[in-house]
Amino acid sequence: MALIYTKMCILITMIAAILTIGSSNADFQKGPRNWNFGINHTNEPFRHKNPIQGSRRIIVGGSDNWRFGFNYTEWARTNAPFFFNDTLVFKFDPPSDSNAHPHSIYLLPNLWSFLRCDLRWAKRVANTSQGGGEGFEFVLNKWKPYYFACGESNGFHCQSGMKFFVMPFFRWY
Ligand SMILES: *[C@@H]1O[C@H](CO)[C@@H](O)[C@H](O)[C@H]1NC(C)=O
Ligand SMILES: *[C@@H]1O[C@H](CO)[C@@H](O)[C@H](O)[C@H]1NC(C)=O
Ligand SMILES: *[C@@H]1O[C@H](CO)[C@@H](O)[C@H](O)[C@H]1NC(C)=O
Ligand SMILES: *[C@@H]1O[C@H](CO)[C@@H](O)[C@H](O)[C@H]1NC(C)=O
Ligand SMILES: [Cu+2]
């Protein structure tokens, strides 16, 4: 039983590896120049003991934060792979007199709704005021694809690039 379980884990991890490598192929050719863009390691002292262990704190969009007019699919592709227990940090200004077009964060239920920016069955994870200050934190703590999108303007923000998908990847210990 335990052996079958182990084998299944290895198989799933291999599939994930293939998907991840496939989606970041272009970057292998470009070289490692942009690999740590926007990625912050929270537990620095811990990393000295074991460079692989410890979860990361990743600012979505890097210095562009979570904004209109930025292509997050492209961002996710160049910043892959993402790992189990990585924390995604979404930073966006709350609504105000000077910010009439705020953002939000939704999780779409499947690839089909993601491709179409169909928000009907989406689950809101952060409203327009939760991205201020240090930002809104979301931990990738499940083995599943996450389809993120901005839910504002009836899907228009999503269609304009404010969406991306990540599949957290297991680390080898
Ligand atoms: C990384 O996080 C630390 C602690 O939160 C912060 O002091 C530092 O400025 C951050 N670095 C980058 C590049 O965001
Ligand atoms: C993820 O974090 C949870 C809670 O902190 C912990 O129990 C779990 O072991 C972690 N999993 C991995 C794969 O690091
Ligand atoms: C957004 O969510 C926060 C936390 O749940 C809540 O305090 C706040 O009133 C909400 N804001 C709006 C505009 O819905
Ligand atoms: C974002 O980039 C992806 C991959 O390069 C591309 O397929 C997509 O059309 C772009 N989206 C927008 C809204 O420009
Ligand atoms: Cu938006």
Side-chain angles (χ1 to χ4, degrees):
M1 195 60 202
L3 185 63
I4 292 171
Y5 179 73
T6 309
K7 280 185 176 169
M8 273 180 63
C9 286
I10 290 172
L11 185 67
I12 289 170
T13 311
M14 277 168 62
I15 293 168
I18 291 163
L19 290 176
T20 315
I21 288 166
S23 70
S24 50
N25 245 351
D27 307 306
F28 278 113
Q29 285 147 22
K30 266 191 284 170
R33 195 163 46 90
N34 282 329
W35 274 35
N36 276 328
F37 182 67
I39 295 179
N40 205 341
H41 296 263
T42 31
N43 25 14
E44 289 294 334
F46 200 54
R47 273 177 68 227
H48 293 300
K49 272 189 261 164
N50 181 343
I52 311 172
Q53 224 164 37
S55 48
R56 307 177 303 168
R57 191 181 144 87
I58 301 158
I59 314 284
V60 175
S63 56
D64 278 279
N65 295 339
W66 185 234
R67 69 165 177 88
F68 188 82
F70 188 85
N71 190 329
Y72 291 90
T73 298
E74 192 61 33
W75 174 83
R77 202 174 63 81
T78 52
N79 285 277
F82 296 89
F83 294 100
F84 229 70
N85 279 356
D86 277 354
T87 301
L88 296 182
V89 185
F90 294 82
K91 291 186 171 179
F92 48 97
D93 291 333
S96 68
D97 290 344
S98 58
N99 179 23
H101 299 287
H103 307 293
S104 59
I105 311 161
Y106 281 70
L107 270 183
L108 301 175
N110 52 49
L111 182 60
W112 183 242
S113 55
F114 175 77
L115 292 173
R116 296 166 61 93
C117 286
D118 181 350
L119 290 155
R120 277 178 294 174
W121 295 283
K123 180 174 164 251
R124 189 177 71 190
V125 291
N127 67 27
T128 54
S129 17
Q130 287 177 284
E134 289 299 295
F136 181 82
E137 298 192 346
F138 187 100
V139 183
L140 302 172
N141 57 9
K142 291 198 180 73
W143 171 251
K144 63 165 210 172
Y146 289 91
Y147 303 100
F148 291 102
C150 176
E152 301 313 293
S153 304
N154 261 324
F156 177 62
H157 284 203
C158 174
Q159 280 151 16
S160 306
M162 294 191 79
K163 66 168 173 179
F164 66 100
F165 115 83
V166 302
M167 180 80 198
F169 184 64
F170 282 109
R171 287 172 191 280
W172 297 106
Y173 286 103

